[in-house]
């Protein structure tokens, strides 16, 4: 559900379609958090305003998607762990194989992972993130074959960084994302994000345990 777009400076973008306000909010807030936590993700942009606004990700090429057999070629496993930490905190239950981009680095046997598409995250819907409390996402849709031992260190490091983020900064991010998406529930989302950020180490540990336990 995407189309390509080219901006005035010649850069190529993937433009998401069929995107509602809550999904746009989740994308914008997820991108801001990824940026501050140094999680590799394509440059993000917004096209249009109000109800016509939609999300764009800069095109990453050449690229393939996650497969368990490619784990051994992963150049940045800590970054994959950080993506899982982000998912645990913002409630992203949809980290399927297509949402893990793998780009060859130097050789075809070295792959760098990039995060895309956090539109379905609970953080984008005030009523959803509020009632979830300190719940962690389901792993039913998670890409198969993620080696927890390989990514645990990166996930735990990101969780601790998450827990130390300035609450004022988090509020600013929520306000910015809500303005982009024309969503008014700034206080509800900010409160939920601050609480889940403080508890990030525990959330991430429980999420990793769920991944490890799945069959």
């Amino acid at each position: 559900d995407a189309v390509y777009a080219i901006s005035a400076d010649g850069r190529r973008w993937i433009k998401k379609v069929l995107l509602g306000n809550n999904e746009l909010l989740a994308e914008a807030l997820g991108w801001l958090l990824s940026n501050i936590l140094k999680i590799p993700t394509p440059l993000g942009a917004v096209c249009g305003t109000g109800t016509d606004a939609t999300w764009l990700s800069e095109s990453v090429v050449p690229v393939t998607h996650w497969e368990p057999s490619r784990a051994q070629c992963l150049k940045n496993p800590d970054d994959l762990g950080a993506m899982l930490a982000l998912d645990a905190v913002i409630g992203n239950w949809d980290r399927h194989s297509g949402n893990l981009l793998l780009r060859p680095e130097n050789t075809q046997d070295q792959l760098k992972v990039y995060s895309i598409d956090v539109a379905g995250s609970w953080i984008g819907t005030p009523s959803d993130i509020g009632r979830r409390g300190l719940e962690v996402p389901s792993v039913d849709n998670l890409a198969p074959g993620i080696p927890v031992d390989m990514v645990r260190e990166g996930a735990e490091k990101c969780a601790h960084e998450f827990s130390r983020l300035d609450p004022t900064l988090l509020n600013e991010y929520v306000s910015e994302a809500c303005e982009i998406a024309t969503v008014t529930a700034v206080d509800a989302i900010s409160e939920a994000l601050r609480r889940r950020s403080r508890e990030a180490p525990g959330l991430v540990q429980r999420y990793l345990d769920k991944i490890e336990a799945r069959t």
Side-chain angles (χ1 to χ4, degrees):
D1 294 332
V3 296
Y4 287 97
I6 298 177
S7 53
D9 58 5
R11 284 187 291 185
R12 196 180 194 202
W13 303 81
I14 307 295
K15 179 182 178 182
K16 298 192 70 170
V17 297
L18 304 177
L19 200 68
N21 288 12
N22 296 129
E23 291 82 6
L24 180 57
L25 169 59
E27 287 282 21
L29 188 50
W31 189 89
L32 289 166
L33 291 168
S34 295
N35 189 52
I36 194 66
L37 293 166
K38 297 182 173 57
I39 298 171
T41 190
L43 185 64
V46 177
C47 177
T49 58
T51 57
D52 294 326
T54 191
W55 185 256
L56 298 94
S57 292
E58 189 170 20
S59 179
V60 177
V61 291
V63 73
T64 185
H65 296 284
W66 174 264
E67 287 185 7
S69 61
R70 294 180 173 138
Q72 60 186 342
C73 301
L74 200 59
K75 183 180 178 182
N76 57 333
D78 283 354
D79 289 333
L80 177 53
M83 292 171 201
L84 297 176
L86 175 71
D87 292 343
V89 176
I90 68 174
N92 181 24
W93 50 270
D94 197 27
R95 180 70 69 184
H96 58 73
S97 299
N99 289 340
L100 289 172
L101 301 186
L102 299 175
R103 182 180 183 180
E105 297 277 311
N106 301 320
T107 72
Q108 293 294 324
D109 294 330
Q110 285 191 316
L111 300 172
K112 181 176 179 178
V113 65
Y114 291 82
S115 165
I116 62 167
D117 194 356
V118 296
S121 301
W122 300 337
I123 199 68
T125 306
S127 59
D128 204 5
I129 193 64
R131 69 183 176 83
R132 295 290 181 174
L134 295 177
E135 184 181 343
V136 295
S138 166
V139 297
D140 291 346
N141 276 21
L142 182 65
I146 292 179
V148 174
D149 288 346
M150 182 185 292
V151 304
R152 183 181 294 278
E153 183 176 349
E156 292 176 346
K157 179 182 177 183
C158 183
H160 285 291
E161 291 176 355
F162 222 134
S163 68
R164 294 194 294 268
L165 289 179
D166 185 349
T168 301
L169 179 66
L170 295 178
N171 292 344
E172 291 173 356
Y173 282 175
V174 172
S175 295
E176 181 177 351
C178 284
E179 182 177 358
I180 288 171
T182 62
V183 173
T184 59
V186 175
D187 291 343
I189 296 173
S190 292
E191 182 180 354
L193 180 58
R194 290 195 305 269
R195 182 186 182 197
R196 292 178 69 87
S197 296
R198 287 195 305 269
E199 301 297 329
L203 289 173
V204 171
Q205 183 60 58
R206 288 193 285 117
Y207 190 52
L208 293 176
D209 289 345
K210 286 180 75 170
I211 297 171
E212 207 165 31
R214 70 176 174 175
T215 56

